Structure formats: C-alpha cells, structure tokens
Amino acid sequence: MAAKKKAAPKKAAPKQTAAKQAAGEAPQRGPKIGAKAPDFALPAVGGGTVKLSGLKGKTVVVYFYPKDDTPGCTKEACGFNEALMAFRKLDAEIVGISRDSMKSHDKFAAKYGLKFHLASDEEGKASTAYDTWVEKSMYGRKYMGMERATYLIDKSGTIRGVWRPVSVTGHVEAVLEAAKAL
C-alpha cells in the first residue's frame, strides 16, 4: 500500500511587516526606493519656505501626517522633536508636511515646542507628488485625506527608505536607525 503524500500547506501572501517597514522597504504606491525624491517648495513655520532641493547635501526625513494637534500626529511630531538632536548629529533635517494652514502649523509648533520644519501643503502639490493624498474610509464613509507616510532621502536627493502606512509607535526610532545606516 502506497503512503499518501500530504499536500504542502498554502502560504499566505506576504504582508508588509513592521520589520520590512523598519528596513524601509518600498510599498506599491508613490515614489520608490532608489528614485529621485520629488522636489517641493512649501511655506514653513517661522515665515520662510522649505525647499527639498535646498537641503541637498543633508539627509532629509520627510514625513506626511494627517492633521495638526491630533493624538497620533502629536505623538509622531513630539517623537521627531525629541530625537531631533540625534538626527542632527547625522546631519539630517526633519520636514513634517500636512495640508493644514500656516496658522494651524504655527500654533501646533508653538504648543509643543517643535524645532524642525513644519510645512503647509494646502494646495496639495507635495502630497500629490508623493501620492499621500488618498481615499480613506471611516465608519463606511469614504473621504480624501493624508496617508501617514515617511521618506528617508540621502544627501544626493535619492530615496533610501519608505514607510507606508506608518504605525506611530516605534516609528521615529526605526527611521533614526535607517538614517544611521546612510
């Protein structure tokens, strides 16, 4: 009597895990690792303009977030602010981008003592270039909103890490570790 062969169990399609996010693996949407980072020039806290190409020669962390002074966005911003000296030791700049107004950004930065660039993308040019303005769904209602996403850009303007979507807990530490490897 012949022995029956057991069928190999089917493997589920791999998901993007936290480890893959920590490694900065590129997702399907938006600019990819190895691509030139799309340039932007946006009004920033303090009355100036932050331009990505103006930061060439530095490592840059560009993070997109949904809304000023909301729980997750505040936690993320304060996390980057607390780690700012560690990023600066790596000659890295942080740029936080949302579609909030400059008035909202100014209040947000003042309330939490944020010392990095907060840029206003009210017209949606940067969020379109990075494909972070997406359809969302909450309680069955569909609407357009900012997807939380982070891009690590090297000194030559090339994307070296992408985190999408972002889980705020542990995110700043993962980005800092990836920046250390550049």
Side-chain angles (χ1 to χ4, degrees), residues 143-161:
Y143 63 97
M144 295 301 290
M146 187 74 78
E147 178 184 43
R148 196 178 304 276
T150 302
Y151 289 83
L152 178 62
I153 302 163
D154 72 13
K155 296 175 187 221
S156 69
T158 302
I159 296 171
R160 295 296 176 201

Side-chain angles (χ1 to χ4, degrees), residues 34-146:
K36 180 97 170 137
D39 197 14
F40 56 79
L42 299 169
V45 167
T49 298
V50 63
K51 188 172 183 177
L52 182 60
S53 59
L55 298 173
K56 194 168 185 175
K58 294 182 177 268
T59 298
V60 183
V61 174
V62 177
Y63 81 95
F64 291 86
Y65 66 99
K67 188 118 181 89
D68 289 339
D69 212 8
T70 57
C73 297
T74 299
K75 182 178 179 180
E76 185 176 28
C78 289
F80 277 117
N81 204 52
E82 289 169 10
L84 190 57
M85 293 315 298
F87 279 102
R88 294 250 166 101
K89 284 180 184 175
L90 301 173
D91 198 26
E93 293 287 331
I94 309 293
V95 181
I97 300 174
S98 80
R99 291 188 67 170
D100 290 309
S101 69
M102 281 313 305
K103 182 178 178 181
S104 176
H105 276 351
D106 286 337
K107 286 171 58 177
F108 185 47
K111 182 175 181 178
Y112 295 101
L114 304 178
K115 304 290 184 207
F116 56 86
H117 305 285
L118 274 186
S120 176
D121 187 29
E122 282 188 282
E123 295 178 11
K125 291 180 181 176
S127 54
T128 297
Y130 285 82
D131 197 18
T132 58
W133 190 248
V134 299
E135 184 177 86
K136 294 177 149 189
S137 179
M138 183 184 295
Y139 306 116
R141 184 179 72 88
K142 294 197 181 294
Y143 63 97
M144 295 301 290
M146 187 74 78

